[in-house]
Amino acid sequence: MTSRPSERVLVTVTGRDAPGIVSRLTGLLADAGAELLDVEQVVVQGRLTLCLLVHLPESRGVLKELLFAAHELGVALDFQVMETPAPVPAESGPVRYVVTAVGRALGVRELHAVAQRLAAHGANIERITRLTETHLGSVEFHLTLPAGAVPDVLKRSLLALSMEAGSFDVALQRESLYRRGKRMVVMDMDSTLIRIEVIDELARAHGVGEQVSRITERAMHGEMDYDESLRQRVALLAGLDVAVLRRIADNLPLTEGAETLIRVLKRLGYRTAVISGGFSVAAEALKARLGIDSAYSNVLEEQGGKLTGRTVGPIVNARRKAELLESLAKQEGILLDQVIAVGDGANDLLMLEKAGLGIAFRAKPKLREAADTSISAGGLDAILYLLGLTARELQEAG
């Protein structure tokens, strides 16, 4: 096979990986004056696939030299002439997205299910990358969507897939500068950073558990004005010994992956915050325990060592949460696109919408549908994979 000066040639190398392969082949191309247009390499279980797209000079001998060198290196080399594509204006080029699948263990059935959904929406998979090391727990699909495609339609389809499967989560994000450039993570507390609703625990200790629980559920599903629901629930706590509140705050059960998430974020220089409709005694305890940078929540009024059944200051409702997130980002000099917000209920919706990436964590269906993405099968540390971090990088940061 020969090539002409105007031809683009795709050189594909496969075989057992070893040091020096890339050096030897690119050295021959450089010596021949070839122009490198594109390059991609991947090694899977010690097996190499290397692709080099080049413009070759008039001298065609370099192809023979490449074949001879490949034989000496113990790899197979193939090449084919590629057509020169028509130039595409930058503004009309394909928009790139990343789909991240995270689960306890992903198998061929799970990857097929994701690929099938992508194909059904005309997505073209350009690269698949494994993020975990010892087991196949997280995979990234880098893809483009056809002109006119609506990303939200694909997002809803992938959400439906993860809800049907129940064993893994699938997230769609636009590939941009800010995907791996996040700088702040803001989290709800109750049923997000911790596994309980503090107000329900206080209510049970005070003998009003059923009454408070009913109001809580209605509020979290958006069926009741949050401010009124909070006032009603707190009023039922009147007379409770403050020592009960402090004991619960000292023994908050953390959600799976919470400690790993906060530890890695701190190592990477992220700012972290709790913005909660819960209570300050618990939020401040978490802040101290995990090293979170700031915490905002409702303050319960105390008098004579007892709760009065009232709160002090403005109620941290849905609107207040969004305002606090925006204020924190501005204070830290961080763009909203660089903020991640995590929550589980209707009270978190505005906060999630305000952030560059809003994550519904083990959330009610209404919030899962409205959020940018959802995590239900894994722990909070699954968020780290949505940032594009690999298990190796997490080990270094941990």
Side-chain angles (χ1 to χ4, degrees), residues 205-252:
H206 200 43
V208 293
E210 289 188 13
Q211 300 96 304
V212 167
S213 184
R214 283 196 295 269
I215 300 171
T216 299
E217 280 299 307
R218 291 182 64 194
M220 293 299 286
H221 281 90
E223 299 170 1
M224 180 187 240
D225 173 74
Y226 180 81
D227 291 15
E228 179 58 29
S229 74
L230 183 69
R231 280 190 285 266
Q232 288 185 22
R233 289 178 289 172
V234 171
L236 290 169
L237 300 178
L240 178 64
D241 195 312
V242 171
V244 175
L245 173 59
R246 304 203 186 288
R247 184 173 67 251
I248 290 173
D250 289 340
N251 296 280
L252 296 171

mmCIF file of all heavy atoms in Angstrom, residues 205-252:
data_model
loop_
_atom_site.group_PDB
_atom_site.id
_atom_site.type_symbol
_atom_site.label_atom_id
_atom_site.label_comp_id
_atom_site.label_asym_id
_atom_site.label_seq_id
_atom_site.Cartn_x
_atom_site.Cartn_y
_atom_site.Cartn_z
ATOM 1 N N ALA A 205 -38.159 10.944 71.146
ATOM 2 C CA ALA A 205 -37.705 11.062 72.538
ATOM 3 C C ALA A 205 -38.714 11.826 73.396
ATOM 4 O O ALA A 205 -38.777 11.633 74.611
ATOM 5 C CB ALA A 205 -36.349 11.766 72.579
ATOM 6 N N HIS A 206 -39.520 12.668 72.748
ATOM 7 C CA HIS A 206 -40.488 13.504 73.473
ATOM 8 C C HIS A 206 -41.903 12.917 73.425
ATOM 9 O O HIS A 206 -42.842 13.514 73.962
ATOM 10 C CB HIS A 206 -40.491 14.913 72.863
ATOM 11 C CG HIS A 206 -41.045 15.968 73.747
ATOM 12 N ND1 HIS A 206 -40.747 16.066 75.101
ATOM 13 C CD2 HIS A 206 -41.917 16.998 73.488
ATOM 14 C CE1 HIS A 206 -41.381 17.104 75.622
ATOM 15 N NE2 HIS A 206 -42.107 17.681 74.673
ATOM 16 N N GLY A 207 -42.033 11.763 72.756
ATOM 17 C CA GLY A 207 -43.335 11.110 72.706
ATOM 18 C C GLY A 207 -44.303 11.669 71.685
ATOM 19 O O GLY A 207 -45.512 11.410 71.761
ATOM 20 N N VAL A 208 -43.783 12.436 70.703
ATOM 21 C CA VAL A 208 -44.661 13.010 69.672
ATOM 22 C C VAL A 208 -44.188 12.579 68.277
ATOM 23 O O VAL A 208 -44.378 13.299 67.301
ATOM 24 C CB VAL A 208 -44.723 14.551 69.777
ATOM 25 C CG1 VAL A 208 -45.421 14.980 71.052
ATOM 26 C CG2 VAL A 208 -43.303 15.159 69.694
ATOM 27 N N GLY A 209 -43.588 11.411 68.213
ATOM 28 C CA GLY A 209 -42.981 10.953 66.976
ATOM 29 C C GLY A 209 -43.926 10.840 65.808
ATOM 30 O O GLY A 209 -43.611 11.289 64.698
ATOM 31 N N GLU A 210 -45.082 10.243 66.010
ATOM 32 C CA GLU A 210 -46.006 10.038 64.897
ATOM 33 C C GLU A 210 -46.529 11.357 64.337
ATOM 34 O O GLU A 210 -46.624 11.528 63.114
ATOM 35 C CB GLU A 210 -47.178 9.160 65.356
ATOM 36 C CG GLU A 210 -46.793 7.707 65.585
ATOM 37 C CD GLU A 210 -48.001 6.825 65.845
ATOM 38 O OE1 GLU A 210 -49.142 7.298 65.610
ATOM 39 O OE2 GLU A 210 -47.808 5.683 66.269
ATOM 40 N N GLN A 211 -46.869 12.285 65.217
ATOM 41 C CA GLN A 211 -47.382 13.585 64.762
ATOM 42 C C GLN A 211 -46.342 14.321 63.920
ATOM 43 O O GLN A 211 -46.641 14.841 62.835
ATOM 44 C CB GLN A 211 -47.802 14.460 65.952
ATOM 45 C CG GLN A 211 -48.894 13.875 66.822
ATOM 46 C CD GLN A 211 -48.352 13.152 68.039
ATOM 47 O OE1 GLN A 211 -47.541 12.225 67.915
ATOM 48 N NE2 GLN A 211 -48.783 13.582 69.233
ATOM 49 N N VAL A 212 -45.118 14.374 64.412
ATOM 50 C CA VAL A 212 -44.053 15.093 63.707
ATOM 51 C C VAL A 212 -43.688 14.394 62.407
ATOM 52 O O VAL A 212 -43.466 15.039 61.376
ATOM 53 C CB VAL A 212 -42.813 15.250 64.617
ATOM 54 C CG1 VAL A 212 -41.600 15.712 63.809
ATOM 55 C CG2 VAL A 212 -43.099 16.241 65.738
ATOM 56 N N SER A 213 -43.634 13.079 62.430
ATOM 57 C CA SER A 213 -43.261 12.324 61.233
ATOM 58 C C SER A 213 -44.246 12.575 60.090
ATOM 59 O O SER A 213 -43.841 12.710 58.930
ATOM 60 C CB SER A 213 -43.202 10.835 61.564
ATOM 61 O OG SER A 213 -42.760 10.109 60.447
ATOM 62 N N ARG A 214 -45.522 12.654 60.417
ATOM 63 C CA ARG A 214 -46.520 12.903 59.378
ATOM 64 C C ARG A 214 -46.314 14.273 58.731
ATOM 65 O O ARG A 214 -46.400 14.431 57.515
ATOM 66 C CB ARG A 214 -47.936 12.802 59.965
ATOM 67 C CG ARG A 214 -48.401 11.365 60.180
ATOM 68 C CD ARG A 214 -49.900 11.313 60.385
ATOM 69 N NE ARG A 214 -50.301 11.986 61.624
ATOM 70 C CZ ARG A 214 -50.405 11.372 62.794
ATOM 71 N NH1 ARG A 214 -50.152 10.076 62.891
ATOM 72 N NH2 ARG A 214 -50.785 12.044 63.861
ATOM 73 N N ILE A 215 -46.020 15.274 59.558
ATOM 74 C CA ILE A 215 -45.796 16.623 59.030
ATOM 75 C C ILE A 215 -44.510 16.662 58.196
ATOM 76 O O ILE A 215 -44.461 17.287 57.131
ATOM 77 C CB ILE A 215 -45.721 17.655 60.178
ATOM 78 C CG1 ILE A 215 -47.029 17.657 60.968
ATOM 79 C CG2 ILE A 215 -45.431 19.049 59.644
ATOM 80 C CD1 ILE A 215 -46.980 18.479 62.248
ATOM 81 N N THR A 216 -43.469 15.972 58.661
ATOM 82 C CA THR A 216 -42.193 15.923 57.940
ATOM 83 C C THR A 216 -42.377 15.357 56.535
ATOM 84 O O THR A 216 -41.887 15.920 55.545
ATOM 85 C CB THR A 216 -41.162 15.071 58.704
ATOM 86 O OG1 THR A 216 -40.919 15.650 59.980
ATOM 87 C CG2 THR A 216 -39.847 14.987 57.933
ATOM 88 N N GLU A 217 -43.071 14.246 56.419
ATOM 89 C CA GLU A 217 -43.276 13.619 55.124
ATOM 90 C C GLU A 217 -44.025 14.539 54.167
ATOM 91 O O GLU A 217 -43.662 14.663 52.994
ATOM 92 C CB GLU A 217 -44.042 12.297 55.288
ATOM 93 C CG GLU A 217 -43.175 11.137 55.731
ATOM 94 C CD GLU A 217 -42.068 10.840 54.736
ATOM 95 O OE1 GLU A 217 -42.365 10.652 53.542
ATOM 96 O OE2 GLU A 217 -40.896 10.807 55.151
ATOM 97 N N ARG A 218 -45.042 15.181 54.661
ATOM 98 C CA ARG A 218 -45.811 16.089 53.804
ATOM 99 C C ARG A 218 -44.932 17.235 53.307
ATOM 100 O O ARG A 218 -44.991 17.633 52.141
ATOM 101 C CB ARG A 218 -47.018 16.639 54.571
ATOM 102 C CG ARG A 218 -48.088 15.607 54.861
ATOM 103 C CD ARG A 218 -49.262 16.230 55.565
ATOM 104 N NE ARG A 218 -49.911 17.225 54.714
ATOM 105 C CZ ARG A 218 -50.796 18.123 55.148
ATOM 106 N NH1 ARG A 218 -51.110 18.168 56.428
ATOM 107 N NH2 ARG A 218 -51.336 18.976 54.305
ATOM 108 N N ALA A 219 -44.085 17.761 54.186
ATOM 109 C CA ALA A 219 -43.205 18.869 53.806
ATOM 110 C C ALA A 219 -42.154 18.435 52.795
ATOM 111 O O ALA A 219 -41.892 19.125 51.803
ATOM 112 C CB ALA A 219 -42.538 19.445 55.050
ATOM 113 N N MET A 220 -41.527 17.271 53.019
ATOM 114 C CA MET A 220 -40.468 16.807 52.132
ATOM 115 C C MET A 220 -41.003 16.455 50.748
ATOM 116 O O MET A 220 -40.273 16.483 49.767
ATOM 117 C CB MET A 220 -39.765 15.589 52.736
ATOM 118 C CG MET A 220 -38.972 15.900 53.998
ATOM 119 S SD MET A 220 -37.645 17.103 53.742
ATOM 120 C CE MET A 220 -36.449 16.111 52.869
ATOM 121 N N HIS A 221 -42.277 16.148 50.649
ATOM 122 C CA HIS A 221 -42.889 15.860 49.346
ATOM 123 C C HIS A 221 -43.478 17.116 48.710
ATOM 124 O O HIS A 221 -44.101 17.053 47.653
ATOM 125 C CB HIS A 221 -43.984 14.797 49.495
ATOM 126 C CG HIS A 221 -43.446 13.405 49.591
ATOM 127 N ND1 HIS A 221 -43.113 12.810 50.789
ATOM 128 C CD2 HIS A 221 -43.155 12.486 48.634
ATOM 129 C CE1 HIS A 221 -42.660 11.595 50.567
ATOM 130 N NE2 HIS A 221 -42.676 11.366 49.265
ATOM 131 N N GLY A 222 -43.284 18.264 49.367
ATOM 132 C CA GLY A 222 -43.772 19.506 48.800
ATOM 133 C C GLY A 222 -45.269 19.689 48.923
ATOM 134 O O GLY A 222 -45.863 20.507 48.212
ATOM 135 N N GLU A 223 -45.894 18.953 49.827
ATOM 136 C CA GLU A 223 -47.341 19.028 49.986
ATOM 137 C C GLU A 223 -47.772 20.068 51.024
ATOM 138 O O GLU A 223 -48.971 20.262 51.242
ATOM 139 C CB GLU A 223 -47.885 17.650 50.385
ATOM 140 C CG GLU A 223 -47.620 16.576 49.333
ATOM 141 C CD GLU A 223 -47.947 15.187 49.835
ATOM 142 O OE1 GLU A 223 -48.398 15.073 50.997
ATOM 143 O OE2 GLU A 223 -47.737 14.224 49.072
ATOM 144 N N MET A 224 -46.816 20.706 51.675
ATOM 145 C CA MET A 224 -47.131 21.658 52.720
ATOM 146 C C MET A 224 -46.084 22.758 52.733
ATOM 147 O O MET A 224 -44.912 22.494 52.451
ATOM 148 C CB MET A 224 -47.166 20.944 54.085
ATOM 149 C CG MET A 224 -47.485 21.835 55.272
ATOM 150 S SD MET A 224 -47.297 20.939 56.828
ATOM 151 C CE MET A 224 -48.946 21.078 57.483
ATOM 152 N N ASP A 225 -46.501 23.988 53.007
ATOM 153 C CA ASP A 225 -45.557 25.099 53.127
ATOM 154 C C ASP A 225 -44.511 24.758 54.182
ATOM 155 O O ASP A 225 -44.845 24.393 55.316
ATOM 156 C CB ASP A 225 -46.312 26.375 53.515
ATOM 157 C CG ASP A 225 -45.363 27.512 53.829
ATOM 158 O OD1 ASP A 225 -44.775 28.062 52.882
ATOM 159 O OD2 ASP A 225 -45.191 27.824 55.030
ATOM 160 N N TYR A 226 -43.245 24.868 53.798
ATOM 161 C CA TYR A 226 -42.181 24.411 54.685
ATOM 162 C C TYR A 226 -42.138 25.208 55.991
ATOM 163 O O TYR A 226 -41.986 24.628 57.075
ATOM 164 C CB TYR A 226 -40.823 24.499 53.978
ATOM 165 C CG TYR A 226 -39.701 24.030 54.865
ATOM 166 C CD1 TYR A 226 -39.445 22.678 55.015
ATOM 167 C CD2 TYR A 226 -38.928 24.938 55.581
ATOM 168 C CE1 TYR A 226 -38.437 22.230 55.845
ATOM 169 C CE2 TYR A 226 -37.919 24.500 56.425
ATOM 170 C CZ TYR A 226 -37.667 23.141 56.552
ATOM 171 O OH TYR A 226 -36.695 22.707 57.394
ATOM 172 N N ASP A 227 -42.248 26.524 55.904
ATOM 173 C CA ASP A 227 -42.150 27.340 57.110
ATOM 174 C C ASP A 227 -43.217 26.954 58.129
ATOM 175 O O ASP A 227 -42.940 26.811 59.324
ATOM 176 C CB ASP A 227 -42.290 28.829 56.763
ATOM 177 C CG ASP A 227 -41.090 29.358 55.989
ATOM 178 O OD1 ASP A 227 -40.309 28.532 55.482
ATOM 179 O OD2 ASP A 227 -40.936 30.582 55.894
ATOM 180 N N GLU A 228 -44.435 26.777 57.646
ATOM 181 C CA GLU A 228 -45.524 26.405 58.536
ATOM 182 C C GLU A 228 -45.306 25.011 59.109
ATOM 183 O O GLU A 228 -45.549 24.763 60.297
ATOM 184 C CB GLU A 228 -46.864 26.467 57.784
ATOM 185 C CG GLU A 228 -48.064 26.079 58.620
ATOM 186 C CD GLU A 228 -48.224 26.931 59.868
ATOM 187 O OE1 GLU A 228 -47.800 28.111 59.858
ATOM 188 O OE2 GLU A 228 -48.769 26.414 60.870
ATOM 189 N N SER A 229 -44.818 24.094 58.271
ATOM 190 C CA SER A 229 -44.579 22.735 58.761
ATOM 191 C C SER A 229 -43.502 22.730 59.840
ATOM 192 O O SER A 229 -43.606 21.988 60.821
ATOM 193 C CB SER A 229 -44.168 21.818 57.607
ATOM 194 O OG SER A 229 -42.838 22.073 57.180
ATOM 195 N N LEU A 230 -42.467 23.548 59.652
ATOM 196 C CA LEU A 230 -41.412 23.610 60.664
ATOM 197 C C LEU A 230 -41.946 24.173 61.973
ATOM 198 O O LEU A 230 -41.665 23.650 63.057
ATOM 199 C CB LEU A 230 -40.240 24.453 60.163
ATOM 200 C CG LEU A 230 -39.044 24.522 61.130
ATOM 201 C CD1 LEU A 230 -38.359 23.157 61.215
ATOM 202 C CD2 LEU A 230 -38.041 25.582 60.717
ATOM 203 N N ARG A 231 -42.731 25.237 61.878
ATOM 204 C CA ARG A 231 -43.289 25.829 63.099
ATOM 205 C C ARG A 231 -44.159 24.819 63.843
ATOM 206 O O ARG A 231 -44.082 24.713 65.068
ATOM 207 C CB ARG A 231 -44.097 27.085 62.746
ATOM 208 C CG ARG A 231 -43.237 28.319 62.505
ATOM 209 C CD ARG A 231 -44.077 29.578 62.409
ATOM 210 N NE ARG A 231 -44.781 29.645 61.133
ATOM 211 C CZ ARG A 231 -44.314 30.286 60.065
ATOM 212 N NH1 ARG A 231 -43.157 30.909 60.110
ATOM 213 N NH2 ARG A 231 -45.019 30.312 58.940
ATOM 214 N N GLN A 232 -44.950 24.057 63.098
ATOM 215 C CA GLN A 232 -45.820 23.074 63.732
ATOM 216 C C GLN A 232 -45.019 21.961 64.393
ATOM 217 O O GLN A 232 -45.332 21.522 65.511
ATOM 218 C CB GLN A 232 -46.785 22.471 62.699
ATOM 219 C CG GLN A 232 -47.873 23.411 62.230
ATOM 220 C CD GLN A 232 -48.857 22.715 61.302
ATOM 221 O OE1 GLN A 232 -48.975 21.483 61.314
ATOM 222 N NE2 GLN A 232 -49.580 23.492 60.500
ATOM 223 N N ARG A 233 -43.982 21.498 63.724
ATOM 224 C CA ARG A 233 -43.170 20.415 64.279
ATOM 225 C C ARG A 233 -42.377 20.871 65.491
ATOM 226 O O ARG A 233 -42.303 20.166 66.504
ATOM 227 C CB ARG A 233 -42.234 19.864 63.196
ATOM 228 C CG ARG A 233 -42.955 19.067 62.113
ATOM 229 C CD ARG A 233 -42.011 18.592 61.032
ATOM 230 N NE ARG A 233 -41.542 19.687 60.199
ATOM 231 C CZ ARG A 233 -40.602 19.581 59.271
ATOM 232 N NH1 ARG A 233 -40.003 18.409 59.084
ATOM 233 N NH2 ARG A 233 -40.249 20.613 58.544
ATOM 234 N N VAL A 234 -41.772 22.051 65.390
ATOM 235 C CA VAL A 234 -40.980 22.565 66.517
ATOM 236 C C VAL A 234 -41.869 22.835 67.725
ATOM 237 O O VAL A 234 -41.465 22.599 68.875
ATOM 238 C CB VAL A 234 -40.206 23.831 66.094
ATOM 239 C CG1 VAL A 234 -39.568 24.502 67.303
ATOM 240 C CG2 VAL A 234 -39.120 23.473 65.081
ATOM 241 N N ALA A 235 -43.078 23.304 67.493
ATOM 242 C CA ALA A 235 -44.001 23.580 68.607
ATOM 243 C C ALA A 235 -44.279 22.316 69.414
ATOM 244 O O ALA A 235 -44.450 22.372 70.648
ATOM 245 C CB ALA A 235 -45.307 24.162 68.069
ATOM 246 N N LEU A 236 -44.298 21.171 68.734
ATOM 247 C CA LEU A 236 -44.547 19.911 69.430
ATOM 248 C C LEU A 236 -43.375 19.489 70.321
ATOM 249 O O LEU A 236 -43.516 18.589 71.152
ATOM 250 C CB LEU A 236 -44.828 18.807 68.400
ATOM 251 C CG LEU A 236 -46.160 18.918 67.648
ATOM 252 C CD1 LEU A 236 -46.193 17.933 66.476
ATOM 253 C CD2 LEU A 236 -47.330 18.659 68.584
ATOM 254 N N LEU A 237 -42.219 20.126 70.147
ATOM 255 C CA LEU A 237 -41.033 19.790 70.944
ATOM 256 C C LEU A 237 -40.911 20.623 72.212
ATOM 257 O O LEU A 237 -39.953 20.450 72.983
ATOM 258 C CB LEU A 237 -39.763 19.978 70.103
ATOM 259 C CG LEU A 237 -39.638 19.147 68.828
ATOM 260 C CD1 LEU A 237 -38.351 19.491 68.095
ATOM 261 C CD2 LEU A 237 -39.697 17.656 69.139
ATOM 262 N N ALA A 238 -41.846 21.507 72.439
ATOM 263 C CA ALA A 238 -41.785 22.381 73.618
ATOM 264 C C ALA A 238 -41.673 21.552 74.893
ATOM 265 O O ALA A 238 -42.410 20.584 75.094
ATOM 266 C CB ALA A 238 -43.023 23.267 73.675
ATOM 267 N N GLY A 239 -40.702 21.939 75.736
ATOM 268 C CA GLY A 239 -40.506 21.265 77.012
ATOM 269 C C GLY A 239 -39.474 20.152 76.979
ATOM 270 O O GLY A 239 -39.097 19.609 78.027
ATOM 271 N N LEU A 240 -38.958 19.796 75.793
ATOM 272 C CA LEU A 240 -37.942 18.740 75.708
ATOM 273 C C LEU A 240 -36.628 19.216 76.315
ATOM 274 O O LEU A 240 -36.180 20.335 76.062
ATOM 275 C CB LEU A 240 -37.724 18.340 74.250
ATOM 276 C CG LEU A 240 -36.658 17.265 73.982
ATOM 277 C CD1 LEU A 240 -37.049 15.928 74.607
ATOM 278 C CD2 LEU A 240 -36.416 17.098 72.490
ATOM 279 N N ASP A 241 -36.009 18.359 77.102
ATOM 280 C CA ASP A 241 -34.728 18.690 77.737
ATOM 281 C C ASP A 241 -33.661 18.879 76.652
ATOM 282 O O ASP A 241 -33.509 18.035 75.757
ATOM 283 C CB ASP A 241 -34.317 17.566 78.691
ATOM 284 C CG ASP A 241 -33.217 17.991 79.650
ATOM 285 O OD1 ASP A 241 -32.213 18.577 79.182
ATOM 286 O OD2 ASP A 241 -33.353 17.758 80.854
ATOM 287 N N VAL A 242 -32.907 19.978 76.731
ATOM 288 C CA VAL A 242 -31.859 20.284 75.743
ATOM 289 C C VAL A 242 -30.793 19.199 75.716
ATOM 290 O O VAL A 242 -30.155 18.962 74.685
ATOM 291 C CB VAL A 242 -31.229 21.663 76.060
ATOM 292 C CG1 VAL A 242 -30.003 21.904 75.194
ATOM 293 C CG2 VAL A 242 -32.255 22.769 75.847
ATOM 294 N N ALA A 243 -30.592 18.505 76.837
ATOM 295 C CA ALA A 243 -29.580 17.440 76.897
ATOM 296 C C ALA A 243 -29.875 16.342 75.878
ATOM 297 O O ALA A 243 -28.955 15.715 75.333
ATOM 298 C CB ALA A 243 -29.525 16.856 78.303
ATOM 299 N N VAL A 244 -31.151 16.114 75.586
ATOM 300 C CA VAL A 244 -31.526 15.103 74.590
ATOM 301 C C VAL A 244 -31.021 15.533 73.213
ATOM 302 O O VAL A 244 -30.464 14.727 72.456
ATOM 303 C CB VAL A 244 -33.055 14.905 74.565
ATOM 304 C CG1 VAL A 244 -33.448 13.938 73.448
ATOM 305 C CG2 VAL A 244 -33.552 14.409 75.914
ATOM 306 N N LEU A 245 -31.207 16.795 72.876
ATOM 307 C CA LEU A 245 -30.735 17.335 71.597
ATOM 308 C C LEU A 245 -29.225 17.195 71.472
ATOM 309 O O LEU A 245 -28.714 16.770 70.438
ATOM 310 C CB LEU A 245 -31.152 18.803 71.484
ATOM 311 C CG LEU A 245 -30.606 19.604 70.295
ATOM 312 C CD1 LEU A 245 -31.006 18.976 68.977
ATOM 313 C CD2 LEU A 245 -31.083 21.047 70.370
ATOM 314 N N ARG A 246 -28.509 17.515 72.543
ATOM 315 C CA ARG A 246 -27.048 17.461 72.482
ATOM 316 C C ARG A 246 -26.554 16.011 72.383
ATOM 317 O O ARG A 246 -25.561 15.731 71.707
ATOM 318 C CB ARG A 246 -26.454 18.155 73.693
ATOM 319 C CG ARG A 246 -26.939 19.598 73.834
ATOM 320 C CD ARG A 246 -25.989 20.459 74.654
ATOM 321 N NE ARG A 246 -26.567 21.782 74.877
ATOM 322 C CZ ARG A 246 -26.699 22.720 73.967
ATOM 323 N NH1 ARG A 246 -26.285 22.485 72.731
ATOM 324 N NH2 ARG A 246 -27.236 23.887 74.264
ATOM 325 N N ARG A 247 -27.249 15.105 73.059
ATOM 326 C CA ARG A 247 -26.854 13.695 72.970
ATOM 327 C C ARG A 247 -27.037 13.163 71.551
ATOM 328 O O ARG A 247 -26.167 12.449 71.028
ATOM 329 C CB ARG A 247 -27.687 12.866 73.952
ATOM 330 C CG ARG A 247 -27.254 11.392 73.981
ATOM 331 C CD ARG A 247 -27.967 10.606 75.071
ATOM 332 N NE ARG A 247 -29.404 10.469 74.810
ATOM 333 C CZ ARG A 247 -30.344 11.085 75.502
ATOM 334 N NH1 ARG A 247 -30.029 11.915 76.505
ATOM 335 N NH2 ARG A 247 -31.621 10.915 75.201
ATOM 336 N N ILE A 248 -28.138 13.512 70.906
ATOM 337 C CA ILE A 248 -28.363 13.080 69.523
ATOM 338 C C ILE A 248 -27.325 13.689 68.596
ATOM 339 O O ILE A 248 -26.776 13.022 67.708
ATOM 340 C CB ILE A 248 -29.793 13.458 69.073
ATOM 341 C CG1 ILE A 248 -30.819 12.599 69.820
ATOM 342 C CG2 ILE A 248 -29.951 13.285 67.564
ATOM 343 C CD1 ILE A 248 -32.252 13.000 69.580
ATOM 344 N N ALA A 249 -27.009 14.969 68.794
ATOM 345 C CA ALA A 249 -26.029 15.658 67.955
ATOM 346 C C ALA A 249 -24.638 15.052 68.077
ATOM 347 O O ALA A 249 -23.860 15.053 67.107
ATOM 348 C CB ALA A 249 -25.981 17.136 68.317
ATOM 349 N N ASP A 250 -24.328 14.504 69.246
ATOM 350 C CA ASP A 250 -23.008 13.903 69.468
ATOM 351 C C ASP A 250 -22.893 12.508 68.868
ATOM 352 O O ASP A 250 -21.791 11.950 68.799
ATOM 353 C CB ASP A 250 -22.709 13.826 70.971
ATOM 354 C CG ASP A 250 -22.432 15.195 71.582
ATOM 355 O OD1 ASP A 250 -22.098 16.125 70.813
ATOM 356 O OD2 ASP A 250 -22.573 15.337 72.810
ATOM 357 N N ASN A 251 -24.014 11.930 68.434
ATOM 358 C CA ASN A 251 -23.991 10.552 67.928
ATOM 359 C C ASN A 251 -24.716 10.423 66.584
ATOM 360 O O ASN A 251 -25.407 9.442 66.336
ATOM 361 C CB ASN A 251 -24.646 9.617 68.959
ATOM 362 C CG ASN A 251 -23.875 9.555 70.264
ATOM 363 O OD1 ASN A 251 -22.882 8.849 70.371
ATOM 364 N ND2 ASN A 251 -24.335 10.308 71.251
ATOM 365 N N LEU A 252 -24.531 11.392 65.737
ATOM 366 C CA LEU A 252 -25.211 11.387 64.436
ATOM 367 C C LEU A 252 -24.649 10.278 63.551
ATOM 368 O O LEU A 252 -23.422 10.196 63.347
ATOM 369 C CB LEU A 252 -25.039 12.736 63.743
ATOM 370 C CG LEU A 252 -25.683 13.931 64.451
ATOM 371 C CD1 LEU A 252 -25.255 15.231 63.779
ATOM 372 C CD2 LEU A 252 -27.202 13.814 64.447
#
